[in-house]
Amino acid sequence: MLFIGVDLSDRFFDYCISDSSGHAILIGKLDFNDDGFCSFVKKIQEHESENQNCIVGMENPHSRLVDFLIQRGYIVMPTHPESIARYRESRIPSRAKSDPVDAGLISDYIREHHKNLRPINMPDETIRELSILLEDRDKLVEQKVRFSNQLTNTLKEYFPQALDAFGSITNKSALEFLMRFDTHQEVKSRSSEEIENVLKECQCFRKDSKERFWGAMGKTPSQISIAVVKTKVRLKNVLVGHLLLLIQQIEDYEKQVQKIVDETPDGGIFRTLPGADYILGARLLVLYSSREFASASEAQAFWGTCPCTSRSGSSIVVRFRKGCNIFGRNTFHQLAFCSLKSSQWAKKQNAKKRKEGKGSNHALRCIANTWVKVTFAMWCSKTPYNESKHLASIANHIINQPSFILGG
């Protein structure tokens, strides 16, 4: 059995091949390209021809090298950077660091801990495409939030009335209005009929929206330096242009996600959850399709919805679980929040936890922990969600409690 540690960089990667006794057989450095990958495989095969007898460890599970190795039958295991950092401290007290040394440390780490690590399993192409689409969409949403915050700060400096005029500055109606009007004074100089026509073109039809708009625009214009207005108008136009483009691209991503979910045999299972849209349903589909769990409790620990317990002597501490799959935790936290509006038991559980003195995030994590149990059962049985069935299950569980007294 060979244990191979790989430390990646932008243009190169260092590797260390060691045997079962921990002896380093070969240490080297190769280019991070297809030629380097092929050379790497040849060097491994010089010492072991059976690919399944080789375990490769690296910190970045999304690297192109991971695909290259898995396609050729090698076992690839992810190593968390923090785990390797602590392992380095235990092995090298001076904390000296270099890429070849890190490759050797990763090799030793997977040799000692490979029984407790899970290899990377590549899902089928459909689920993989869906996973990448969701990750890229999340990045676009993050960019949208950044640009939105910049636009808000820009308008505060010279056109604060625009922030009060619309419910959200990232609405298409608000952005299209800002593309047409640069300042409050410009809006005030136009007739009411002309502004009404612009609002219609921007698809701002609701009565309460118009009342809010006219209430904000009816305020006295602020006296602001001409230099500030000129420069901030330029920045505003740039930010609005970026936001309009990002919103359109995010919508295109969501349409593609919806198309894949509709075409996937089990794609509609999680769409039946209360408050779940196509994006949330797709995230759950990716989570359960990418990894197998022996039980719901294993899934709860992996996705970090349940706390962890530390015991030492007579001391018992229950604390927030930090080490987990962040994508999974965020997904179930979002499901818990969305279910508050339409799930009866979720509302009651949230109210109960808040009454106990728990914070809003703590209460949502408790609901998310329950949703892991529910979705795990749904995935195993391939059945959609049924609120009545779940409420009946809760009632049956309460009745069977030892402390339950009939009529009490």
Side-chain angles (χ1 to χ4, degrees), residues 12 62 77 88 125 213 221 249 311 349:
F12 308 98
H62 303 293
M77 291 185 172
R88 185 190 302 112
E125 290 299 316
F213 174 85
Q249 294 300 323
R311 290 183 173 88
Q349 186 172 356

Side-chain angles (χ1 to χ4, degrees), residues 252-295:
D252 292 342
Y253 266 79
E254 291 174 351
K255 289 178 182 177
Q256 183 62 22
V257 168
Q258 180 177 344
K259 179 182 177 183
I260 294 175
V261 170
D262 288 338
E263 293 175 353
T264 304
D266 299 325
I269 292 177
F270 299 116
R271 282 282 290 114
T272 59
L273 291 167
D277 57 6
Y278 270 99
I279 298 300
L280 188 53
R283 290 169 70 99
L284 290 166
L285 179 62
V286 167
L287 288 174
Y288 279 106
S289 300
S290 302
R291 190 182 181 100
E292 294 183 0
F293 298 98
S295 63

Side-chain angles (χ1 to χ4, degrees), residues 375-393:
T375 53
F376 178 79
M378 290 169 58
W379 181 251
C380 292
S381 61
K382 296 294 186 293
T383 56
Y385 177 73
N386 187 316
E387 178 85 357
S388 300
K389 184 178 179 181
H390 185 66
L391 290 174
S393 176

Side-chain angles (χ1 to χ4, degrees), residues 136-280:
D136 292 343
R137 176 193 171 275
D138 287 346
K139 293 175 183 177
L140 292 177
V141 171
E142 290 175 2
Q143 291 186 22
K144 176 188 170 185
V145 171
R146 284 197 293 269
F147 284 130
S148 173
N149 292 337
Q150 285 183 281
L151 179 60
T152 299
N153 292 332
T154 300
L155 292 173
K156 282 180 180 179
E157 294 188 36
Y158 88 100
F159 193 3
Q161 296 82 4
L163 298 173
D164 299 328
F166 298 95
S168 172
I169 204 62
T170 55
N171 286 340
K172 278 189 174 181
S173 56
L175 294 174
E176 289 174 2
F177 182 86
L178 288 172
M179 286 293 289
R180 300 188 182 210
F181 296 98
D182 291 332
T183 64
H184 187 200
Q185 289 80 357
E186 185 179 352
V187 176
K188 295 283 285 186
S189 65
R190 303 293 182 89
S191 65
S192 299
E193 292 182 359
E194 187 175 356
I195 298 297
E196 284 285 352
N197 291 333
V198 172
L199 291 175
K200 288 180 181 179
E201 292 176 7
C202 295
Q203 298 181 354
C204 184
F205 302 113
R206 291 177 54 179
K207 182 179 179 181
D208 58 338
S209 299
K210 289 184 178 181
E211 289 177 354
R212 179 174 56 239
F213 174 85
W214 287 114
M217 291 303 168
K219 297 178 181 179
T220 304
S222 305
Q223 298 298 322
I224 302 173
S225 168
I226 296 176
V228 172
V229 173
K230 284 184 177 180
T231 53
K232 294 305 175 182
V233 165
R234 181 182 293 272
L235 179 58
K236 180 266 296 182
N237 290 333
V238 172
L239 294 172
V240 169
H242 282 313
L243 281 168
L244 285 171
L245 179 60
L246 277 171
I247 290 172
Q248 182 60 51
Q249 294 300 323
I250 291 171
E251 289 177 355
D252 292 342
Y253 266 79
E254 291 174 351
K255 289 178 182 177
Q256 183 62 22
V257 168
Q258 180 177 344
K259 179 182 177 183
I260 294 175
V261 170
D262 288 338
E263 293 175 353
T264 304
D266 299 325
I269 292 177
F270 299 116
R271 282 282 290 114
T272 59
L273 291 167
D277 57 6
Y278 270 99
I279 298 300
L280 188 53

